[in-house]
Amino acid sequence: MSGMTKTARRMFELLEPICLVTFLADECNEELAKLGHRTYWDGYFASRAAPLGRVPAQVVHAAFYSFTPAEAARHIPSAWETIPPEASLAARERGSAASLRRILGDELAGSPGLARAAELLTKAATSAPTEGRVMYAGLRAVPVPEEPVARLWHSANMLREHRCDGHVAALVGARIGGIAAHLFAALAQGVHPPETYGRVGHLPKKRLDAVLADLRERGLIDAGSRFTDAGRETRQRIENLTDELAAAPYETLSAAELDELITELEPITAKLVAAGMPVPGSD
């Protein structure tokens, strides 16, 4: 790993718990429900895709990558028929920031260190090229909040989508589709059989069997649906490339600024992890 690639991996570990409040804490879901979104997934698809505008389900499916076409179509565009994308996006930010304030507490949420972390994070998050980064480019068009906690979450979310765009590119290059990517994640986390993994367990058995058969044919999993050496190597290659592609935003920060950012983020992340927001690879 190069120095900047190691930095990208470390920043992923520090920022993911900040982003996960959107999905694992209550406030965001409550804000989306108040708007009229009927289910968690209605709110998820509508609020995450909102920066792209009123695009059809096919575009959302392509950008998100890890869902089936039918899953996107169940929520888009129906989730926007009565609730404008802008309202869903605002509710997502409002709820996520509220979760951070509650978990961090007044002292940490209002600290100069958090404000400085938000400032440096925004500098990084608004500096990277947008070419080939659909979700990141969408968020770059959204105004950055002024309030420090909301700014921290917003910039962390921009960097998460920047990383996700790169991860999709790495998966496409390795010919690992969205469902296969979830099966890879399941095996990496020790879930066996992998088709019982929560993100794919609801899918039709016939579809899952076809994906598993393809992975076996390519020599990536064995007859018992466990990684082969080639499968482990492929997964590691994808992770390494994802880290490499995620490094660009941090190149705008000086070495001193990077050290300062990491120092200020560490207590924030630690508080979130203690509240149940996992770091990557901990589940």
Side-chain angles (χ1 to χ4, degrees), residues 190-276:
V191 177
H192 195 270
E195 59 269 32
T196 62
Y197 186 51
R199 291 293 298 275
V200 296
H202 64 288
L203 297 177
K205 184 177 184 300
K206 184 175 180 181
R207 188 178 186 93
L208 288 170
D209 286 347
V211 176
L212 289 167
D214 178 67
L215 294 175
R216 288 191 193 99
E217 186 176 340
R218 293 171 58 190
L220 301 178
I221 62 172
D222 60 23
S225 295
R226 298 184 187 277
F227 272 138
T228 62
D229 288 343
R232 279 187 288 273
E233 181 184 349
T234 297
R235 180 184 178 275
Q236 192 58 55
R237 189 167 65 249
I238 291 167
E239 290 300 305
N240 291 345
L241 181 55
T242 299
D243 287 332
E244 183 180 340
L245 294 173
Y250 307 108
E251 292 172 355
T252 194
L253 301 179
S254 68
E257 286 175 326
L258 275 171
D259 287 344
E260 184 182 8
L261 176 58
I262 289 170
T263 298
E264 299 296 358
L265 284 174
E266 282 175 342
I268 295 169
T269 299
K271 191 80 175 279
L272 292 166
V273 171

Side-chain angles (χ1 to χ4, degrees), residues 48-49 52 55-67 72 133-136 161 164-165 168-169:
R48 187 182 171 204
L52 302 179
V55 295
Q58 295 94 321
V59 174
V60 174
H61 168 65
F64 285 14
Y65 192 74
S66 58
F67 295 89
R133 310 271 183 170
V134 174
M135 292 300 299
Y136 173 63
E161 292 292 19
C164 286
D165 285 334
V168 169

